[in-house]
Amino acid sequence: MNTGASILIPARDAEHSLAKALESAFQVETSAIFVADHGSTDKTLQVAQNYSKRKVQTIDASSCKNIAEVRQALLDLADTEYAVWLDADDELLPGRVKRIISSLENNQADLYFDASELVQGNRTKTLPTPTFASNNPEAHCRNFERCFLPSPGVPGVRTEFARTICFDPDFETAEDYDFVLRASMGGGKFCFDSKVGYRQHHSPSSLSRNLDRQKKFT
């Protein structure tokens, strides 16, 4: 297992946003960037391949039946001690990966969470880290009372621990909540940061906005 962190990006029909996501990944310290193309019907694959000279590796995930299998395929590829999720329509903010690595190391933790920005049109809203979690990380289970955990699908993780948890291949969505819940049940140690490190872009067509499916799997 190599030192450093890998950026893991699941992508599907993201030709208009993937370049911005990748450019944000180049602004942080990272060892490798993996993009899994989940059967896109647009030019997502071509966009990713345009960055092949900048340590971006592309895999064909068209055979994966859902996002959970795509995430697991990416996790299996990571050969670094740490891994960081980045959705193809979002951005990493400068300094985030460095903070993830130092926080996981200093706290001997398995999962790292921070605050994020939610961008919708011309509006930007901060999604803060819950104070009950940042003040007492052992109480993170309270997040599941109201699904308050910010950015559950994009934490920084210790790769080997994440592989012991895995993603459930039966989950078509809400696979991130399932992963975090089972990480908690599996004895994972969480650490929380009040700094904003991730930028989420609202999209009416995103998988997480399909509320009927989201509620079913949650």
Side-chain angles (χ1 to χ4, degrees), residues 58-203:
T58 307
I59 65 168
D60 180 3
S62 58
S63 63
C64 296
K65 68 176 184 288
N66 54 41
I67 183 61
E69 287 194 355
V70 175
R71 289 193 184 277
Q72 187 60 45
L74 283 165
L75 188 58
D76 290 341
L77 281 175
D79 61 353
T80 51
E81 189 172 357
Y82 305 100
V84 179
W85 292 106
L86 172 60
D87 286 348
D89 53 355
D90 294 338
E91 298 172 76
L92 295 175
L93 298 182
R96 185 175 192 242
V97 171
K98 186 176 181 179
R99 288 197 302 274
I100 288 174
I101 294 175
S102 62
S103 294
L104 291 178
E105 288 181 346
N106 294 338
N107 293 282
Q108 296 184 323
D110 303 298
L111 295 94
Y112 166 99
F113 296 90
D114 53 7
S116 59
E117 291 179 349
L118 177 63
V119 179
Q120 185 173 3
N122 296 323
R123 295 183 298 170
T124 299
K125 177 182 180 180
T126 298
L127 305 178
T129 303
T131 55
F132 61 74
S134 56
N135 293 341
N136 181 13
E138 296 302 319
H140 67 263
C141 57
R142 284 194 56 196
N143 283 295
F144 295 97
E145 294 173 7
R146 297 182 181 178
C147 293
F148 193 17
L149 192 66
S151 306
V154 291
V157 298
R158 195 177 293 273
T159 305
E160 285 298 335
F161 174 80
R163 284 180 178 156
T164 66
I165 301 302
C166 299
F167 286 88
D168 189 330
D170 290 331
F171 273 65
E172 296 177 10
T173 186
E175 79 295 336
D176 44 8
Y177 282 104
D178 173 68
F179 175 86
V180 174
L181 178 57
R182 289 187 296 110
S184 178
M185 296 175 65
K189 184 175 181 181
F190 289 47
C191 65
F192 297 88
D193 193 335
S194 61
K195 293 183 175 64
V196 176
Y198 194 87
R199 181 174 293 140
Q200 294 177 292
H201 289 271
H202 169 81
S203 171

Side-chain angles (χ1 to χ4, degrees), residues 16-91:
H16 299 299
S17 62
L18 181 56
K20 180 183 290 186
L22 288 170
E23 290 294 339
S24 77
F26 297 138
Q27 302 303 312
V28 300
E29 295 181 15
T30 177
S31 300
I33 301 173
F34 296 95
V35 177
D37 179 41
H38 189 202
S40 296
T41 58
D42 62 5
K43 296 180 180 179
T44 296
L45 181 60
Q46 293 92 312
V47 172
Q49 290 174 336
N50 287 340
Y51 288 89
S52 60
K53 294 182 179 180
R54 298 179 67 181
K55 65 184 179 184
V56 175
Q57 301 179 51
T58 307
I59 65 168
D60 180 3
S62 58
S63 63
C64 296
K65 68 176 184 288
N66 54 41
I67 183 61
E69 287 194 355
V70 175
R71 289 193 184 277
Q72 187 60 45
L74 283 165
L75 188 58
D76 290 341
L77 281 175
D79 61 353
T80 51
E81 189 172 357
Y82 305 100
V84 179
W85 292 106
L86 172 60
D87 286 348
D89 53 355
D90 294 338
E91 298 172 76

